[in-house]
Amino acid sequence: MMGPRQVAQGALFYEFSIEEFVPKDHPMRGIDRFLDLTDVRPLLAPYYSANGRPSIDPELMIRMLLLGYCMGIRSERRLCEEVHVNLAYRWFCKLDLGDPVPDHSTFSKNCHGRFRESGLFRHLFETVLQRCMDEGLVGGHSFGVDASLIPANANQTRGVDSKEGLPRDLTSRAVDEYLETLDDVAFGAATKVVPKYISPADPAARWTGADGGAAYFAYSTNYMVDLENAVIVDVEPTAPIRPAEARAARDMIDRVHERFGMKPDKLVGDTGYGSAEMLGGLVEDRQIEPHIPVWDKSKRTDGTFSREDFAYDPVADNYTCPNGKVLQTYRRKFTKPRKPNGGKDGFIRYRASKHDCETCPLKPQCCPKDHGRRLMRSVHEAARDVARDIRKTDAYMTSFIERRKVEMLFAHLKQYIGLRMMRLRGPKGATEQFQLAATAQNLRKLAKLVPETAPT
């Protein structure tokens, strides 16, 4: 027997509870267990006026922002629409069925103003990280570091030639932030190499072809990850170039040590972090084992002897060539012995005697075009030797496999968080997006790994 036609009839009164309509296994229930916003209002209080009309609750806007990143909703306009119609989203944002949803323009005014000025996004990230530590998800012994390119929110075909420069009448928030970061080692001062093009829409985004394909404007998001459970312990935006990324790695290590008292026993990274300066900073300054391949260009491919064919004596501080002759930094006998120092490039020069090289039968294999053989040794060569020795161990192979956890976080960032392309412009916009995205990833990690306790 066919039932009667269903017709919606309005009722005068409803007994309705959103709590009952949100599934027990909904992702936002697990995330809500670990989201603590008790310090938000005291942090933002100095940035609100004591007079005027009451503002929208900042906790509501923060919950909506985190909801958008956790569920991969990039547009703030669409985020407001989803919160309006989705009961689970309303429950997470602490909105009742009849409560109004804030307008999307409210987010721009607050995020670009008081939220950024107060350091709220960094505070949220560190609060969630502290909760990860309290739950035992952070070991603090083995860190991994890597960077990933995120295309900028700029037209890739309308770049201005760097030789011409930006138009003088060009004004925007992104341009102001670009001028502020010209002396920042993470952006303008990271390298003396001038990019081929500059984007008028987002000048701080750098023209790069590091992916091996067609060049485009991009930022680089840098992750420092605890490899025990793949928890992000720090995040930093930089220009997509190796010196800036290596500097960001050292800054993140120092910041985690300063704020949380954690210093890893080892750091895992790829060859981009294997420069002499980076390895010296890890081994000599911070006493951290570098599980990193050494960035080495001393190997020759023309058939002549490479530097590794020469034996180094650390006591006498000299090299011995395959024919038994000595290469020294100084050949004069000084009254007061001089200690060789690296030049401006950080290298010490060792030279062979011209007389020894001219009569040497191995000269065609050593220095066929020069009067004498010269070698260069980095001031951080001892740290590079430590990294070379570690690479020969089984622990390095384990670290090589664990490094994939960092790469998986970047895949998760682009696939599930939805950060395949920048939505905001400028270094401050990149900082906001990367910190909120890392916070959302850690919250999802907490909800996945920490089981819910049974009610008593």
Side-chain angles (χ1 to χ4, degrees), residues 364-375:
Q365 297 177 259
C366 185
C367 51
K369 299 181 181 180
D370 297 329
H371 296 293
R373 181 59 188 264
R374 294 173 294 178
L375 293 178

Side-chain angles (χ1 to χ4, degrees), residues 103-145:
D103 189 79
H104 64 88
S105 62
T106 308
F107 291 94
S108 300
K109 296 177 181 179
N110 284 275
C111 291
H112 296 163
R114 54 178 64 96
F115 283 6
R116 291 182 181 180
E117 295 172 1
S118 63
L120 173 64
F121 304 118
R122 168 62 63 176
H123 173 78
L124 287 175
F125 172 78
E126 294 182 349
T127 301
V128 175
L129 174 59
Q130 184 63 56
R131 185 61 185 271
C132 293
M133 297 169 60
D134 296 339
E135 296 293 342
L137 300 184
V138 179
H141 305 292
S142 177
F143 284 2
V145 63

